[in-house]
Amino acid sequence: MPKIEILDQQTIDKIAAGEVIERPSSVVKELVENAIDAKASAITVEIKEGGISFIRITDNGCGMEAEQVPLAFLRHSTSKIRNVEDLLTVSSLGFRGEALSSIAAVAQVELITKTVSDFSGVRYVIEGGKEKSSEEIGAPEGTTFLVRNLFYNTPARKKFLKTPQTEAGYIGDLVERLALSHPEISFKLIVNNQPKLHTSGNSNLKEVIYHIYGRDIAANLIEVQGENECFSIQGFIGKPLISRGNRNFENYFINGRYIKSGLIAKCIEEGYKSFVMQHKYPFTVLHISINGSLLDVNVHPTKMELRFSNGEEIYQFLTQLIREAINRNELVYQVSLEREQEEKARHKQEKKERMGSGRKAPEPFEAKRLQAVKQSIRKDSPYEPKYEKPAADFPQTEPVSQTEPALQEPSGQMAPELAAEEIMFGPSPHKTAAQPKPPAETKKQPPKLLEEASRKAHKIIGQLFDTYWLVEFDSQLYIIDQHAAHEKVLYERTLAALKQKEFTSQVIYPPILLTLNMQEESLLKKYMPYFQKLGYEIEHFGGKEYSVTAVPGNLFGLNGQELVIEILDSLADFHGRETPQMITEKIASMSCKAAVKGNQSISRPEVEALIGELLTLENPYHCPHGRPTIISMTKYELEKKFKRVL
Ligand SMILES: Nc1ncnc2c1ncn2[C@@H]1O[C@H](COP(=O)(O)OP(=O)(O)O)[C@@H](O)[C@H]1O
Ligand SMILES: [Mg+2]
């Protein structure tokens, strides 16, 4: 075995860099976070070849003093904390002092920076951890980092990079999240000389959301706001109808930091539970401020994880906040006949606009900077004013179309929060924090279909296709899916009975015989207590045979034979991390679904009773599987279809 020796500093740095800098987007993350910590109000990110060959980040923040620059590139050098106690109150995004040293260890870095009080700036070049040059230079206030040829000296790392397009995609996602996390900062992203994103920095979160996700999402947001002694939450959550197929749309920021947290994701999903279909995830942009002493931000070098000391409290609070916000809005699906196609076309157009094609590309900071440098040399009075927000470039000049029915709905529940001006120019979340608004309940809401007071005004028109009930109410046509509604009512009854422990079972004769395969048999054994709790009685009959002798009491019409096997099959998908409640709910919801299958025609009084029962439920608008129970169409939509209105 060779002798033990301590590694040289450059090798140490290269190895350590791997923890923080995994790919071009990590460089962008660290440098933009530094710019945010430097109190920049405008930050430009420019990349070429997915950031592999070129990244330039320009900010108008506080800059660095010339003599501090070499220190900044040392490992564990930081201006943000002094000792470990400071970690409790750290409000900056950085604090580990490893980013610059890590980046410089694995790339060719050039830095130009100037503080407000210095007369001139400094240009500093460092490659592979070795200082190459340092010189005085005229420069405007702020900092520009150029990072070239990432991993040029660590080919093993470089091999793991994906294609430039994929890497550029990661950077795009990241810059979008950074823009959402700091709506008070103007962000610009330029990819291969093409402007891709430009936010105004006017603090309006809804505007940033519109900019990034487009009109469909911006038009379907619910504002949330709440606080207690330990934390405050504000932001927007999407109505369930804009739910997505993965968790990428669950954005949340803790003290201005974009993180991933199983706990917060769980709070959000729990809040939405039964409002979204299985395997669908909500859209959210939530800003959460938590007292620093309740957090541990120093969990991982990338600072993407946090630990909470009061997780349970956050869980209760956030889940409740979200649930209440959703409940405040009557969540009947609005059917718009022409919407789908129109929206697709519009979407395309919007994307084009958002991406900047067809519009004058904003002047890069860098051009200003060079101009400033030139002027400073010529006039000997170096200082350009700070970067000005390019007001004319933001789509205030193209307000949401006046002819868009979905946004201009003359009646119906979408109106109050969907006024076009509000989407674009709604109250800044920061302003709202300063002057608390009255709670949303006090806003004038249109009457809801499912309210006791509305019942007298329901005009039940009749049944369609043996399944749907048509109800006229408040200039809208409501269509109730009898099966989904019935299923929902049964399900809620079942769960309520379970809670009260008054579940009854109903003996069936003759019993239902089941033949189970090995997997089904073992699942039945495993989940037997849950079946029993719900009122099932299932006995072993010998061999592979089982007999169902009783089923849950209030589930009349339940056909047990296929049902029990179906339930067992779906339990096979469970991976063992489900809570007892989830298991019970699964069995209950499947039982209820089976129970309503048989009942096709019901009478008018029965429908009235069904509506009566629906309106007592917390979330009557979705069946236990997340499908809508009621949809609606406005009179306006119909009139439009008949070309009575344009
Ligand atoms: N864009 C910037 N503007 C002003 N100062 C900066 C900038 N980037 C880095 N710095 C300075 O360099 C130091 C080291 O940065 P970094 O290695 O990212 O560590 P950290 O952010 O954890 O302090 C920072 O503490 C800060 O003082
Ligand atoms: Mg940093």
Side-chain angles (χ1 to χ4, degrees):
M1 180 110 80
K3 285 218 181 71
I4 296 175
E5 275 178 43
I6 292 182
L7 294 172
D8 67 77
Q9 194 56 42
Q10 276 176 29
T11 311
I12 294 177
D13 285 348
K14 270 194 204 168
I15 293 173
E19 277 188 59
V20 192
I21 305 301
E22 201 190 339
R23 51 183 2 108
S25 66
S26 343
V27 174
V28 175
K29 173 176 183 288
E30 293 298 333
L31 295 183
V32 171
E33 287 189 351
N34 282 347
I36 296 171
D37 286 345
K39 302 275 178 286
S41 63
I43 300 171
T44 294
V45 178
E46 219 183 317
I47 59 164
K48 287 180 186 150
E49 209 201 316
I52 302 167
S53 62
F54 180 91
I55 297 174
R56 172 162 46 198
I57 312 239
T58 308
D59 72 54
N60 63 351
C62 66
M64 281 183 254
E65 289 167 19
E67 58 275 19
Q68 294 259 291
V69 168
L71 297 178
F73 285 94
L74 297 179
R75 183 155 294 277
H76 310 305
S77 64
T78 178
S79 56
K80 299 169 192 173
I81 58 166
R82 291 288 172 252
N83 50 46
V84 72
E85 282 81 50
D86 288 351
L87 272 182
L88 290 177
T89 50
V90 67
S91 60
S92 54
L93 298 172
F95 53 82
R96 296 172 62 105
E98 330 182 88
L100 295 192
S101 64
S102 302
I103 297 167
V106 293
Q108 298 163 336
V109 178
E110 181 181 336
L111 161 71
I112 299 164
T113 184
K114 191 189 93 64
T115 66
V116 68
S117 52
D118 284 332
F119 283 111
S120 56
V122 59
R123 176 172 173 271
Y124 185 83
V125 180
I126 177 168
E127 294 179 2
K130 280 205 207 106
E131 180 180 316
K132 291 279 158 168
S133 70
S134 174
E135 60 192 358
E136 209 176 306
I137 189 177
E141 276 155 46
T143 304
T144 297
F145 271 97
L146 281 118
V147 179
R148 294 191 177 91
N149 303 323
L150 184 64
F151 301 137
Y152 77 105
N153 55 355
T154 49
R157 270 264 145 194
K158 195 163 181 182
K159 261 208 329 247
F160 284 99
L161 294 180
K162 307 222 169 103
T163 63
Q165 289 95 306
T166 308
E167 295 295 343
Y170 292 145
I171 293 173
D173 274 358
L174 171 77
V175 175
E176 286 175 354
R177 291 215 161 96
L178 288 162
L180 288 168
S181 71
H182 287 275
E184 78 288 2
I185 299 176
S186 166
F187 281 89
K188 185 150 69 170
L189 172 65
I190 301 169
V191 178
N192 301 332
N193 299 321
Q194 294 279 322
K196 292 287 181 193
L197 176 75
H198 192 185
T199 65
S200 76
N202 71 355
S203 295
N204 186 334
L205 180 60
K206 203 166 188 174
E207 196 177 281
V208 182
I209 296 175
Y210 170 83
H211 221 63
I212 292 173
Y213 295 105
R215 191 191 321 241
D216 286 353
I217 285 192
N220 285 295
L221 297 176
I222 304 170
E223 188 169 2
V224 292
Q225 203 178 337
E227 62 190 305
N228 69 13
E229 322 74 66
C230 304
F231 43 83
S232 73
I233 297 170
Q234 49 187 234
F236 294 91
I237 62 173
K239 292 186 179 170
L241 75 143
I242 55 167
S243 296
R244 298 297 159 135
N246 61 49
R247 288 200 170 87
N248 279 348
F249 293 75
E250 292 175 4
N251 300 290
Y252 38 85
F253 308 100
I254 308 247
N255 298 347
R257 187 190 298 281
Y258 170 62
I259 54 140
K260 280 276 157 223
S261 156
L263 174 77
I264 306 283
K266 190 152 189 288
C267 296
I268 293 173
E269 284 158 30
E270 188 65 29
Y272 271 87
K273 198 164 156 203
S274 84
F275 289 98
V276 294
M277 286 197 233
Q278 279 172 359
H279 310 301
K280 286 274 187 185
Y281 300 93
F283 172 89
T284 69
V285 180
L286 293 172
H287 283 257
I288 306 174
S289 318
I290 304 185
N291 185 330
S293 60
L294 301 171
L295 276 183
D296 183 359
V297 284
N298 191 22
V299 181
H300 188 268
T302 58
K303 296 163 288 181
M304 281 287 287
E305 284 171 44
L306 286 180
R307 264 189 226 119
F308 303 94
S309 64
N310 58 342
E312 183 59 23
E313 205 182 325
I314 294 178
Y315 183 84
Q316 298 288 348
F317 189 77
L318 183 51
T319 304
Q320 187 66 14
L321 190 75
I322 289 177
R323 191 166 298 156
E324 275 168 15
I326 304 174
N327 271 326
R328 269 207 310 273
N329 287 262
E330 187 168 60
L331 294 166
V332 178
Y333 277 75
Q334 285 246 333
V335 180
S336 173
L337 296 171
E338 290 168 12
R339 205 147 103 195
E340 237 171 67
Q341 278 187 348
E342 275 176 11
E343 273 177 3
K344 264 188 200 145
R346 208 187 50 230
H347 217 79
K348 242 181 163 170
Q349 178 62 20
E350 269 177 31
K351 197 157 180 180
K352 240 167 119 184
E353 286 168 8
R354 281 204 308 281
M355 289 307 187
S357 59
R359 262 194 286 149
K360 185 178 154 280
E363 185 186 16
F365 293 152
E366 196 53 27
K368 280 203 168 181
R369 189 172 294 276
L370 286 175
Q371 195 189 352
V373 171
K374 275 188 211 144
Q375 274 175 3
S376 76
I377 297 166
R378 225 181 304 127
K379 289 192 288 174
D380 220 29
S381 98
Y383 310 111
E384 271 272 272
K386 278 210 170 191
Y387 167 75
E388 281 163 35
K389 282 173 193 165
D393 200 62
F394 200 69
Q396 288 167 352
T397 45
E398 31 169 340
V400 177
S401 143
Q402 293 293 308
T403 51
E404 170 54 42
L407 295 175
Q408 295 285 313
E409 208 61 83
S411 69
Q413 54 277 70
M414 293 168 103
E417 44 170 331
L418 289 187
E421 315 84 74
E422 218 203 306
I423 288 182
M424 299 305 297
F425 313 116
S428 128
H430 297 268
K431 274 188 219 131
T432 34
Q435 356 164 288
K437 276 197 313 183
E441 285 87 344
T442 60
K443 275 194 213 161
K444 202 182 167 305
Q445 297 264 0
K448 290 184 176 183
L449 172 77
L450 293 178
E451 253 168 6
E452 195 54 53
S454 309
R455 280 186 86 177
K456 283 188 292 296
H458 289 169
K459 200 165 137 197
I460 298 179
I461 296 163
Q463 198 192 32
L464 182 70
F465 308 138
D466 278 347
T467 306
Y468 305 105
W469 282 87
L470 310 182
V471 181
E472 180 190 328
F473 171 69
D474 192 41
S475 294
Q476 303 216 35
L477 169 66
Y478 288 87
I479 306 173
I480 303 176
D481 179 331
Q482 178 196 310
H483 293 151
H486 194 177
E487 189 183 329
K488 177 72 184 179
V489 164
L490 278 184
Y491 177 70
E492 294 288 333
R493 263 195 228 153
T494 307
L495 289 195
L498 204 65
K499 234 186 201 154
Q500 310 291 325
K501 301 208 170 30
E502 25 180 70
F503 217 86
T504 53
S505 64
Q506 156 194 316
V507 176
I508 41 176
Y509 192 83
I512 301 165
L513 286 188
L514 306 173
T515 309
L516 301 182
N517 66 26
M518 242 154 60
Q519 190 200 27
E520 288 160 349
E521 194 175 2
S522 79
L523 286 166
L524 180 65
K525 282 188 184 142
K526 183 167 168 197
Y527 294 110
M528 187 64 106
Y530 294 94
F531 280 95
Q532 286 168 340
K533 217 164 109 195
L534 278 165
Y536 284 95
E537 278 171 28
I538 305 174
E539 289 160 14
H540 192 193
F541 205 62
K544 294 175 167 196
E545 309 283 303
Y546 284 80
S547 70
V548 182
T549 54
V551 295
N554 67 355
L555 300 184
F556 47 87
L558 183 122
N559 168 14
Q561 177 127 39
E562 282 151 38
L563 173 71
V564 174
I565 293 180
E566 225 174 86
I567 295 178
L568 290 174
D569 289 347
S570 78
L571 291 173
D573 294 338
F574 277 16
H575 39 54
R577 286 194 294 274
E578 288 75 15
T579 60
Q581 195 188 344
M582 285 162 80
I583 298 165
T584 311
E585 284 174 8
K586 177 88 191 176
I587 301 177
S589 80
M590 290 194 71
S591 307
C592 294
K593 189 165 178 230
V596 295
K597 259 191 191 159
N599 294 281
Q600 291 298 4
S601 58
I602 56 174
S603 65
R604 205 168 279 253
E606 278 172 316
V607 155
E608 281 181 34
L610 190 62
I611 295 177
E613 195 154 356
L614 268 183
L615 59 84
T616 63
L617 306 182
E618 196 190 340
N619 169 20
Y621 305 106
H622 296 86
C623 81
H625 301 86
R627 285 192 300 278
T629 53
I630 306 174
I631 61 173
S632 77
M633 190 185 285
T634 60
K635 187 174 168 201
Y636 178 80
E637 271 299 333
L638 276 178
E639 289 183 336
K640 206 167 155 255
K641 197 69 193 159
F642 285 110
K643 306 268 186 254
R644 282 163 163 260
V645 291
L646 290 175

